[in-house]
Amino acid sequence: MRGIKYSMRCKSCRRRRAKIIVLSVAAFILLFAALSVFSFTRAAAYSAALEVKSACARSVNAAVMEGGFDNLFSLMRGDKNQTTIYVNSSAVNFAAYGIAARTEKCFGEEWPSAAEVGVLSFLGFTNSAGAKINLKFDAKFIAESAVEYTAEPAGINGFIFTIYCNLNCEISYSCAFSRRNFSVNYRIPLAQCVAEGEVPEVYMN
């Protein structure tokens, strides 16, 4: 009887150990799979962000290079040799709006539809390691512009007048089970001039 009880206990112990080993292996596999998916998703999101930001910069540059910034202001000399600046608000607002509209159009033409991701990124390696695969991703882009005027002193009888276009680009994209949103801001000078008046007889610094 003792031999039978001992053999039954041994069998139950072996079954228990086998279950523990199976559960441990399954937990390890699940943990490894979760970490691999996380690493791969992070690498894919990083590559997609680089592609989107690069496309955004190229789009803004192309939009600015098209120009259309003429007749934004005019200068007139007064009787006392002072300079008066007349700003053409319609032309300035139209120029800023044109930059935003052209940036959106250029982004649609410039942005790549796929991002390169290293095949070993699921192991935690960088995207530069190993071969690359292309992952398709979608992106949405919205550009908004606003006008800013600044006047900074230039010497004792003048100042530098500058017209800026503040361009805000809102971008959202989805790639490899992740969705990200970010914004990029640009401060683009549209026009600049130096206005001068009479030299004062007394100047105190």
Side-chain angles (χ1 to χ4, degrees):
M1 293 294 291
R2 289 180 180 178
I4 295 174
K5 289 181 180 179
Y6 178 75
S7 63
M8 291 179 65
R9 282 200 299 269
C10 289
K11 287 182 180 179
S12 63
C13 289
R14 284 196 294 268
R15 291 195 190 100
R16 195 177 300 113
R17 283 197 297 268
K19 287 182 180 179
I20 293 174
I21 292 173
V22 170
L23 291 175
S24 299
V25 171
F28 176 79
I29 292 174
L30 290 175
L31 179 62
F32 177 77
L35 291 176
S36 299
V37 170
F38 174 76
S39 298
F40 185 79
T41 301
R42 185 176 60 178
Y46 177 75
S47 295
L50 290 180
E51 295 289 348
V52 171
K53 289 180 180 179
S54 177
C56 179
R58 293 195 304 270
S59 301
V60 173
N61 184 63
V64 174
M65 290 298 291
E66 289 188 21
F69 311 135
D70 298 328
N71 302 319
L72 299 185
F73 64 87
S74 59
L75 302 178
M76 183 174 293
R77 286 284 183 177
D79 297 335
K80 296 183 179 181
N81 202 31
Q82 78 275 13
T83 304
T84 304
I85 302 174
Y86 295 95
V87 177
N88 188 343
S89 300
S90 298
V92 171
N93 291 328
F94 185 78
Y97 170 79
I99 289 177
R102 290 195 299 271
T103 300
E104 289 186 355
K105 178 183 176 182
C106 293
F107 186 84
E109 301 170 353
E110 288 283 342
W111 80 278
S113 59
E116 286 189 347
V117 184
V119 293
L120 298 179
S121 59
F122 72 95
L123 295 176
F125 291 97
T126 61
N127 284 345
S128 59
K132 304 291 191 302
I133 58 175
N134 289 329
L135 289 180
K136 291 186 177 180
F137 68 95
D138 297 323
K140 293 183 179 180
F141 182 88
I142 299 176
E144 297 179 344
S145 59
V147 178
E148 178 187 356
Y149 304 96
T150 63
E152 300 177 356
I156 61 175
N157 66 325
F159 63 90
I160 300 175
F161 178 75
T162 310
I163 303 175
Y164 291 96
C165 170
N166 291 325
L167 185 67
N168 179 48
C169 301
E170 296 288 341
I171 308 167
S172 63
Y173 67 93
S174 57
C175 180
F177 316 113
S178 68
R179 186 172 187 84
R180 304 287 179 88
N181 302 300
F182 64 92
S183 60
V184 184
N185 297 301
Y186 298 91
R187 193 168 184 246
I188 306 166
L190 301 180
Q192 189 176 73
C193 71
V194 177
E196 296 180 343
E198 287 188 333
V199 177
E201 296 181 0
V202 179
Y203 174 72
M204 297 182 64
N205 189 359

